PDB file of all heavy atoms in Angstrom:
ATOM      1  N   VAL A 275     104.049  83.372 110.401  1.00 96.00           N
ATOM      2  CA  VAL A 275     104.092  84.605 111.196  1.00 96.00           C
ATOM      3  C   VAL A 275     105.528  85.102 111.252  1.00 96.00           C
ATOM      4  O   VAL A 275     106.428  84.362 111.678  1.00 96.00           O
ATOM      5  CB  VAL A 275     103.549  84.380 112.624  1.00 96.00           C
ATOM      6  CG1 VAL A 275     103.539  85.704 113.390  1.00 96.00           C
ATOM      7  CG2 VAL A 275     102.163  83.765 112.591  1.00 96.00           C
ATOM      8  N   ALA A 311      99.940  89.615 116.012  1.00 94.00           N
ATOM      9  CA  ALA A 311      99.872  88.801 114.794  1.00 94.00           C
ATOM     10  C   ALA A 311      99.929  87.321 115.132  1.00 94.00           C
ATOM     11  O   ALA A 311      99.188  86.503 114.568  1.00 94.00           O
ATOM     12  CB  ALA A 311     101.015  89.186 113.852  1.00 94.00           C
ATOM     13  N   LEU A 312     100.809  86.938 116.067  1.00 95.00           N
ATOM     14  CA  LEU A 312     100.938  85.542 116.444  1.00 95.00           C
ATOM     15  C   LEU A 312      99.654  85.020 117.076  1.00 95.00           C
ATOM     16  O   LEU A 312      99.195  83.912 116.770  1.00 95.00           O
ATOM     17  CB  LEU A 312     102.117  85.375 117.408  1.00 95.00           C
ATOM     18  CG  LEU A 312     102.349  83.963 117.952  1.00 95.00           C
ATOM     19  CD1 LEU A 312     102.587  82.969 116.824  1.00 95.00           C
ATOM     20  CD2 LEU A 312     103.529  83.955 118.927  1.00 95.00           C
ATOM     21  N   GLU A 313      99.051  85.807 117.955  1.00 94.00           N
ATOM     22  CA  GLU A 313      97.814  85.377 118.599  1.00 94.00           C
ATOM     23  C   GLU A 313      96.687  85.202 117.580  1.00 94.00           C
ATOM     24  O   GLU A 313      95.920  84.240 117.648  1.00 94.00           O
ATOM     25  CB  GLU A 313      97.403  86.387 119.676  1.00 94.00           C
ATOM     26  CG  GLU A 313      96.059  86.110 120.340  1.00 94.00           C
ATOM     27  CD  GLU A 313      95.998  84.759 121.038  1.00 94.00           C
ATOM     28  OE1 GLU A 313      97.062  84.243 121.448  1.00 94.00           O
ATOM     29  OE2 GLU A 313      94.877  84.214 121.169  1.00 94.00           O
ATOM     30  N   GLU A 314      96.586  86.108 116.621  1.00 93.00           N
ATOM     31  CA  GLU A 314      95.544  85.981 115.596  1.00 93.00           C
ATOM     32  C   GLU A 314      95.774  84.728 114.754  1.00 93.00           C
ATOM     33  O   GLU A 314      94.823  84.032 114.380  1.00 93.00           O
ATOM     34  CB  GLU A 314      95.522  87.226 114.710  1.00 93.00           C
ATOM     35  CG  GLU A 314      94.321  87.317 113.782  1.00 93.00           C
ATOM     36  CD  GLU A 314      93.017  87.551 114.517  1.00 93.00           C
ATOM     37  OE1 GLU A 314      93.046  87.893 115.724  1.00 93.00           O
ATOM     38  OE2 GLU A 314      91.946  87.379 113.899  1.00 93.00           O
ATOM     39  N   ALA A 315      97.035  84.426 114.463  1.00 93.00           N
ATOM     40  CA  ALA A 315      97.345  83.218 113.698  1.00 93.00           C
ATOM     41  C   ALA A 315      96.969  81.967 114.481  1.00 93.00           C
ATOM     42  O   ALA A 315      96.397  81.015 113.926  1.00 93.00           O
ATOM     43  CB  ALA A 315      98.832  83.191 113.352  1.00 93.00           C
ATOM     44  N   LEU A 316      97.261  81.938 115.772  1.00 93.00           N
ATOM     45  CA  LEU A 316      96.915  80.779 116.594  1.00 93.00           C
ATOM     46  C   LEU A 316      95.402  80.620 116.714  1.00 93.00           C
ATOM     47  O   LEU A 316      94.874  79.503 116.712  1.00 93.00           O
ATOM     48  CB  LEU A 316      97.548  80.922 117.981  1.00 93.00           C
ATOM     49  CG  LEU A 316      99.076  80.910 118.024  1.00 93.00           C
ATOM     50  CD1 LEU A 316      99.569  81.205 119.435  1.00 93.00           C
ATOM     51  CD2 LEU A 316      99.633  79.590 117.526  1.00 93.00           C
ATOM     52  N   ARG A 317      94.690  81.736 116.810  1.00 91.00           N
ATOM     53  CA  ARG A 317      93.231  81.669 116.879  1.00 91.00           C
ATOM     54  C   ARG A 317      92.647  81.107 115.587  1.00 91.00           C
ATOM     55  O   ARG A 317      91.712  80.293 115.614  1.00 91.00           O
ATOM     56  CB  ARG A 317      92.660  83.066 117.136  1.00 91.00           C
ATOM     57  CG  ARG A 317      92.896  83.610 118.532  1.00 91.00           C
ATOM     58  CD  ARG A 317      92.196  84.937 118.722  1.00 91.00           C
ATOM     59  NE  ARG A 317      92.462  85.509 120.027  1.00 91.00           N
ATOM     60  CZ  ARG A 317      91.890  86.622 120.486  1.00 91.00           C
ATOM     61  NH1 ARG A 317      91.014  87.266 119.731  1.00 91.00           N
ATOM     62  NH2 ARG A 317      92.182  87.082 121.686  1.00 91.00           N
ATOM     63  N   LEU A 318      93.173  81.536 114.456  1.00 90.00           N
ATOM     64  CA  LEU A 318      92.688  81.022 113.172  1.00 90.00           C
ATOM     65  C   LEU A 318      92.961  79.528 113.044  1.00 90.00           C
ATOM     66  O   LEU A 318      92.120  78.773 112.553  1.00 90.00           O
ATOM     67  CB  LEU A 318      93.341  81.781 112.024  1.00 90.00           C
ATOM     68  CG  LEU A 318      92.838  83.192 111.740  1.00 90.00           C
ATOM     69  CD1 LEU A 318      93.579  83.778 110.552  1.00 90.00           C
ATOM     70  CD2 LEU A 318      91.341  83.195 111.473  1.00 90.00           C
ATOM     71  N   ARG A 319      94.148  79.108 113.460  1.00 89.00           N
ATOM     72  CA  ARG A 319      94.472  77.676 113.404  1.00 89.00           C
ATOM     73  C   ARG A 319      93.503  76.865 114.250  1.00 89.00           C
ATOM     74  O   ARG A 319      92.991  75.827 113.817  1.00 89.00           O
ATOM     75  CB  ARG A 319      95.900  77.446 113.881  1.00 89.00           C
ATOM     76  CG  ARG A 319      96.346  75.994 113.824  1.00 89.00           C
ATOM     77  CD  ARG A 319      97.553  75.764 114.715  1.00 89.00           C
ATOM     78  NE  ARG A 319      97.246  76.039 116.125  1.00 89.00           N
ATOM     79  CZ  ARG A 319      98.159  76.075 117.089  1.00 89.00           C
ATOM     80  NH1 ARG A 319      99.429  75.868 116.803  1.00 89.00           N
ATOM     81  NH2 ARG A 319      97.805  76.323 118.340  1.00 89.00           N
TER      82      ARG A 319
END
Side-chain angles (χ1 to χ4, degrees):
V275 183
L312 177 59
E313 175 60 26
E314 191 69 13
L316 295 174
R317 289 185 183 185
L318 285 181
R319 182 199 62 189

